[in-house]
Amino acid sequence: SPEARERLADPIAKILSHGDTSVRLAAVNTSGELGAACTASNVAALGALRAKEAHVKVRRAAAQALGRVGQAGVGELLSYLKDSDAGVRHFAAETLASVRGSAAAAGAIGLLSDCEPLACHAALLALGKMGDDGRAYAEVIAGQLSHSDLACRLAAIQALSELGASSQAACLGELSSDSNMGVRQAAVSALAKMEAEGAAQAVRFMKDDDPAVRQAAVKVFSPLHSKLAADLARPYTEVVACSLLDGDWRVRLAAVVALGDLHAAEYLEQIEALRTDDDNQVRRSAVTALVKCGAQAAHVAAFLGDEDRRVREEAQQAYNTLGGGQGGGADSDLSEVE
């Protein structure tokens, strides 16, 4: 009964300081089972283990127990975001996020100004998983994008991404000039989840010096490979088409795939021109894109004589699908598997 649980809480709290590790661990787990019936002294004892308990397993269990206590355990649970062990910090952040509520979010926000980057990183991890409670602090989270610690900056980007905080899309767009490639690439991935506001900022990364970032930016506008809806990506087909001329084959590949996904029939000629591209994956994807864009058989005919077997086979299949028949003469065997 609830009454019995409350009577057990204080005695269990005393056992939390027992000399035997297994006994302490059992007491911690029992405290968690008490949940909301934990007394203030029990909650305080669980919190105290963060500083004095040497065993990681016990500290991790204590963080879990505090999470099961609920809102009354938030204050002590927050201290575990400062734990010396990365696993405990991560687990505490996940636990705090599961508790949610305004107190949990406000407490995590309070840790962002902590001089210890590890605590800030853990707090950002928690905030990103708090839904509306975390989103209410999106602007404060965005303030960490300029943190001196790289891990914290990346954690802030991740938090904004998980929250879908489109109100901060412009702040992420500013990272297009960041010196760290990982930061720029993470920002692009986050913008893909921020609807129209994110799309408007993602184009800033399409001229990045690093081809991996440019590729990621183009992929934002590929509905089948992105979180961005097709109707929001469609207005950017022109800038995507410009990437067909990129010097890196991976960017060109992402661009032609995106145009196919967007059924951008107005760029059939530009896609067909990829028949001379020096990368066989780009040429093969161009054939697929032509079909998606509603091309005629004549558009893929130039690919029937490609030097690469897989491109020829893709082209033959597309040619047949578009009503071109099986071909003839020198190309009559293109549909056969070598």
Side-chain angles (χ1 to χ4, degrees):
S1 68
E3 294 78 13
R5 291 186 175 216
E6 288 182 9
R7 287 196 299 270
L8 287 172
D10 285 336
I12 291 172
K14 295 178 181 179
I15 302 175
L16 290 174
S17 58
H18 195 279
D20 187 277
T21 302
S22 61
V23 174
R24 293 198 305 279
L25 180 60
V28 168
N29 290 332
T30 302
S31 296
E33 292 173 4
L34 291 175
C38 274
T39 62
S41 61
N42 196 303
V43 170
L46 287 170
L49 289 175
R50 205 277 298 180
K52 67 181 184 180
E53 175 58 55
H55 293 272
V56 169
K57 183 186 295 186
V58 177
R59 300 202 305 276
R60 177 187 169 101
Q64 181 180 38
L66 286 166
R68 296 178 70 177
V69 170
Q71 296 298 322
V74 166
E76 296 294 347
L77 178 56
L78 285 165
S79 70
Y80 281 85
L81 272 65
K82 300 181 180 182
D83 196 89
S84 59
D85 182 80
V88 173
R89 292 195 304 274
H90 182 89
F91 186 76
E94 296 276 358
T95 303
L96 183 66
S98 69
V99 175
R100 294 198 174 189
S102 57
I109 285 294
L111 290 178
L112 297 186
S113 58
D114 194 287
C115 59
E116 176 53 60
L118 296 177
C120 177
H121 182 273
L124 288 166
L125 175 64
L127 286 162
K129 300 179 183 301
M130 289 188 184
D132 290 340
D133 293 319
R135 198 174 297 111
Y137 293 97
E139 185 175 356
V140 181
I141 294 171
Q144 301 302 308
L145 295 174
S146 58
H147 198 286
S148 59
D149 182 77
L150 175 60
C152 288
R153 295 169 64 203
L154 291 171
I157 295 173
Q158 181 181 345
L160 293 172
S161 174
E162 292 177 336
L163 293 170
S166 58
S167 63
Q168 303 306 310
C171 293
L172 289 170
E174 291 296 322
L175 295 177
S176 61
S177 60
D178 194 275
S179 62
N180 186 282
M181 187 272 283
V183 168
R184 301 196 304 276
Q185 193 160 17
V188 171
S189 298
L191 288 167
K193 301 178 183 179
M194 296 184 180
E195 303 184 329
E197 295 89 341
Q201 296 297 324
V203 296
R204 301 175 63 173
F205 295 82
M206 296 178 77
K207 297 297 183 181
D208 195 273
D209 291 337
D210 193 288
V213 177
R214 297 199 302 276
Q215 179 188 26
V218 172
K219 283 185 174 182
V220 170
F221 302 96
S222 186
L224 299 183
H225 303 83
S226 171
K227 299 292 185 181
L228 188 67
D231 62 318
L232 297 177
R234 200 65 175 75
Y236 297 92
T237 51
E238 182 177 357
V239 68
V240 172
C242 288
S243 292
L244 293 175
L245 302 175
D246 194 275
D248 190 279
W249 71 269
R250 293 167 295 180
V251 181
R252 299 195 301 276
L253 177 63
V256 72
V257 169
L259 291 173
D261 288 349
L262 291 169
H263 305 289
E266 65 270 34
Y267 293 102
L268 283 174
E269 291 185 6
Q270 289 87 340
I271 297 173
E272 182 186 356
L274 293 175
R275 65 185 182 278
T276 60
D277 195 277
D278 58 9
D279 185 84
N280 60 354
Q281 291 188 59
V282 173
R283 300 195 302 275
R284 188 178 179 186
S285 292
V287 174
T288 303
L290 286 170
V291 175
K292 289 183 176 182
C293 291
Q296 296 181 354
H299 287 109
V300 301
F303 293 85
L304 292 171
D306 195 274
E307 64 182 24
D308 185 272
R309 174 182 61 82
R310 291 174 298 176
V311 176
R312 294 198 305 271
E313 291 175 351
E314 189 77 28
Q316 183 67 71
Q317 183 178 357
Y319 190 71
N320 296 341
T321 298
L322 296 173
Q326 294 297 321
D331 294 328
S332 61
D333 64 344
L334 291 177
S335 62
E336 299 179 4
V337 178
E338 296 180 5

